[in-house]
Amino acid sequence: MLSITTRGTRVCDGMSRRQLLQAGGAGLLGLSLPRVLAAEEARGNAPARRPGRAKSVIFLFLFGGPSQLETFDLKPEAPTQVRGPLKPIPSRTDGLLISEALPRLAQISHRYCVIRTMTHDFNDHSGGGHYIQTGKRWHIPIGGGFNATSKDWPSVGSVVEYTAQHEPCGLQRDLPAYAVLPNRLGRLEQMGQYLRPGEYAGWLGQAYNPLTTTVDKRNLTDNPYWRDCTDAELTFQLQGLSSPKEVQIDRLSKRRTLLQQFEARLDRLDGDAQFASYDRFQQRALGLISSDRARKALDLQSEPAKVRDRYGRHLFGQSCLLARRLVEAGVRFVTVHYETIDGYGWDSHVHSDDVKNHLLPTTDQAAAALLEDLHDRGMLHDTLVVMLGEMGRTPKANARWGRDHWSTLFPALIAGAGVRGGICYGSSDAEAAFPDENPVRPEDLAATLYWAQGLDPEMMLEDSEGRPTPLIDDGRPVTGIFG
């Protein structure tokens, strides 16, 4: 357990522009005045932000692909092999039948919109996961792409982190703008060797990767998503920032010489990209471990037992609660993964019993608690909540009542930040196989996330070779779901 005994103070800008220009003009540290001015000009080219209703986003990613026919697009009139074993129940939304395994969400459907027509043509987990989180159909091969690369497209969360770091005082934030819970995608798989693409900064640069927590399982067959977890297990250690010994922050700060302070300031304006990224990581790490606000946000035990029980003591429930706490503390984009031990939690080829007995009930409890908790605290007004997988499932079940990959139709739940609750957007055909009207592609979803946060969906950022690059190809915000 890392404990902090002192807390340093910081100012927004430790070195004035005048001092910086004087240092550059004198050639201090080998930096010429033209280079200072050029770096300062480049630093000012951050994307503009207009007022946006969504101050934060909570992105619940149900990796593996939940079935549309077992969640929000039931077809009780379809043939038996299509409609499946779960019965529909009414909700508080006209025309919306919901699975009997989602009773809590059915009771609060007036809080959210269901997009019934998410669709794309990348019928693969890794490629689909990258597509959903970035809005970019990329080069990841079907059946491959098990590890992220520096050439991948930046996630929406990483772009949010980028814009936050380029705001005045952005590098002095004691909390990141982007976080991933409870683990990086792929970490809980049997061998733990995967670093699945989609949630990282890719060519934008590793400085804009998410701050990621880690929660270990008890053994290779343990599934903390489906059981109550102890407080000792739910430590949510910051990846790369754990230490068994007490850290004296003042002693660490005093080790930084005047030269290092100048270098740290100049690296924000200019310098090798690798070193600049390292400095930002180092600064964020020091800011986190010295921040009372960060430590309080990560302290789940400070929550009343009644609230924790409401979310569920399983890993998904407690991760959703922690996401609320991080948003409350000022984090702008929080992704919560639900993947389970084999890495394919919702990939229900042969696991229909798991869907009914574990996946749907835990999701129902946690998601409903999150929406109600945000509403009760007045936070749903400016927090956008999105819940979906990277694909859906085949309309016709296989012999063991599982369903196979199907990316051409799947649902998304979206709520808060001006989204009109109690509506459905789009409709599907009789077997929930294809959109009938209003298809929504990953490009459109990404554009909606940017637009809701006050960012231009048509923004262009410099790629690794310094070329202006559009983030989305022809994506349009789904403004019709907003009031």
Side-chain angles (χ1 to χ4, degrees):
M1 187 83 179
L2 182 64
S3 61
I4 309 299
T5 58
T6 57
R7 183 185 181 194
T9 58
R10 60 171 63 88
V11 294
C12 172
D13 198 346
M15 190 178 186
S16 70
R17 181 178 185 274
R18 179 180 178 184
Q19 290 172 318
L20 181 63
L21 295 178
Q22 287 174 340
L28 183 62
L29 306 178
L31 190 64
S32 66
L33 179 59
R35 286 182 64 206
V36 173
L37 295 175
E40 187 180 51
E41 181 181 359
R43 183 176 182 264
N45 290 333
R49 180 185 288 271
R50 61 168 175 77
R53 180 76 172 268
K55 293 181 180 178
S56 298
V57 174
I58 297 177
F59 192 87
L60 307 179
F61 190 36
L62 311 182
F63 186 72
S67 167
Q68 64 276 25
L69 287 151
E70 271 72 59
T71 54
F72 299 105
D73 199 7
L74 282 78
K75 304 291 184 180
E77 304 302 321
T80 301
Q81 66 268 30
V82 172
R83 67 174 181 260
L86 297 182
K87 296 182 174 61
I89 59 174
S91 70
R92 297 183 65 174
T93 300
D94 289 341
L96 176 63
L97 295 176
I98 291 181
S99 167
E100 63 180 327
L102 300 173
R104 293 178 175 89
L105 285 172
Q107 287 296 314
I108 63 165
S109 67
H110 60 296
R111 301 259 187 250
Y112 57 84
C113 163
V114 173
I115 298 176
R116 285 173 161 166
T117 51
M118 292 298 306
T119 183
H120 64 78
D121 62 352
F122 210 125
N123 207 31
D124 172 78
H125 293 297
S126 285
H130 179 279
Y131 201 179
I132 285 294
Q133 295 182 89
T134 65
K136 181 71 173 182
R137 196 186 192 285
W138 199 224
H139 57 75
I140 297 167
I142 297 292
F146 289 109
N147 280 295
T149 75
S150 60
K151 296 181 180 179
D152 295 338
W153 216 254
S155 67
V156 175
S158 288
V159 174
V160 171
E161 179 67 53
Y162 176 91
T163 61
Q165 289 191 27
H166 283 75
E167 293 173 353
C169 305
L171 293 178
Q172 278 71 43
R173 290 170 54 92
D174 59 351
L175 279 170
Y178 176 33
V180 166
L181 307 174
N183 292 292
R184 63 171 173 79
L185 191 60
R187 186 175 181 275
L188 279 192
E189 297 183 37
Q190 292 287 3
M191 300 303 294
Q193 75 272 35
Y194 295 144
L195 193 71
R196 288 190 180 271
E199 67 190 41
Y200 303 101
W203 53 256
L204 195 57
Q206 64 174 350
Y208 311 109
N209 282 341
L211 179 81
T212 308
T213 62
T214 60
V215 175
D216 288 322
K217 53 189 178 183
R218 293 172 178 172
N219 51 58
L220 288 179
T221 60
D222 179 43
N223 193 338
Y225 283 93
W226 294 355
R227 63 167 174 80
D228 287 351
C229 298
T230 66
D231 285 344
E233 293 174 299
L234 295 170
T235 55
F236 289 96
Q237 292 293 316
L238 299 177
Q239 190 167 307
L241 286 179
S242 59
S243 172
K245 297 181 180 180
E246 190 171 86
V247 177
Q248 291 280 354
I249 297 303
D250 284 349
R251 291 180 60 192
L252 289 178
S253 298
K254 289 175 181 176
R255 292 175 187 167
R256 304 183 74 180
T257 67
L258 178 62
L259 176 62
Q260 289 173 321
Q261 292 176 50
F262 268 82
E263 289 175 336
R265 172 59 180 152
L266 294 174
D267 276 343
R268 296 172 204 160
L269 298 177
D270 189 32
D272 181 83
Q274 180 179 357
F275 292 145
S277 297
Y278 174 77
D279 285 346
R280 283 193 285 271
F281 274 126
Q282 185 180 53
Q283 185 175 20
R284 184 161 62 170
L286 289 173
L288 279 165
I289 63 176
S290 63
S291 166
D292 284 340
R293 189 162 64 116
R295 288 184 292 117
K296 288 178 180 178
L298 292 165
D299 182 15
L300 277 178
Q301 295 184 46
S302 65
E303 283 286 339
K306 184 177 180 180
V307 174
R308 297 186 66 187
D309 292 341
R310 183 182 187 184
Y311 278 83
R313 298 279 180 155
H314 42 80
L315 186 55
F316 187 62
Q318 296 301 288
S319 298
C320 288
L321 175 55
L322 184 56
R324 187 222 81 199
R325 292 178 61 83
L326 290 175
V327 164
E328 205 168 22
V331 178
R332 295 181 183 175
F333 200 104
V334 183
T335 294
V336 180
H337 295 308
Y338 192 145
E339 58 164 336
T340 76
I341 58 172
D342 57 2
Y344 299 92
W346 288 90
D347 191 23
S348 51
H349 293 283
V350 295
H351 297 302
S352 58
D353 288 342
D354 288 349
V355 171
K356 179 181 179 179
N357 298 332
H358 300 292
L359 291 160
L360 288 173
T362 51
T363 299
D364 183 51
Q365 180 179 22
L370 175 64
L371 293 175
E372 287 292 85
D373 197 9
L374 290 171
H375 174 264
D376 293 345
R377 292 170 179 272
M379 295 172 61
L380 197 57
H381 174 79
D382 54 18
T383 303
L384 188 69
V385 179
V386 179
M387 183 174 76
L388 79 170
E390 76 278 16
M391 62 175 67
R393 314 304 299 182
T394 49
K396 293 184 179 180
N398 59 36
R400 295 192 58 182
W401 261 114
R403 299 184 189 269
D404 301 321
H405 297 183
W406 192 263
S407 66
T408 57
L409 187 86
F410 56 105
L413 179 156
I414 185 166
V419 170
R420 293 184 292 141
I423 66 168
C424 294
Y425 184 84
S427 61
S428 62
D429 63 12
E431 294 190 349
F434 300 96
D436 260 353
E437 60 176 1
N438 297 326
V440 178
R441 302 165 303 144
E443 292 91 339
D444 303 320
L445 177 64
T448 303
L449 293 174
Y450 288 132
W451 178 85
Q453 296 175 88
L455 294 169
D456 184 0
E458 296 182 1
M459 77 179 91
M460 300 181 75
L461 298 180
E462 289 187 355
D463 64 14
S464 58
E465 297 181 2
R467 298 170 301 191
T469 303
L471 286 173
I472 304 173
D473 296 327
D474 194 30
R476 297 184 178 183
V478 188
T479 57
I481 65 176
F482 290 85

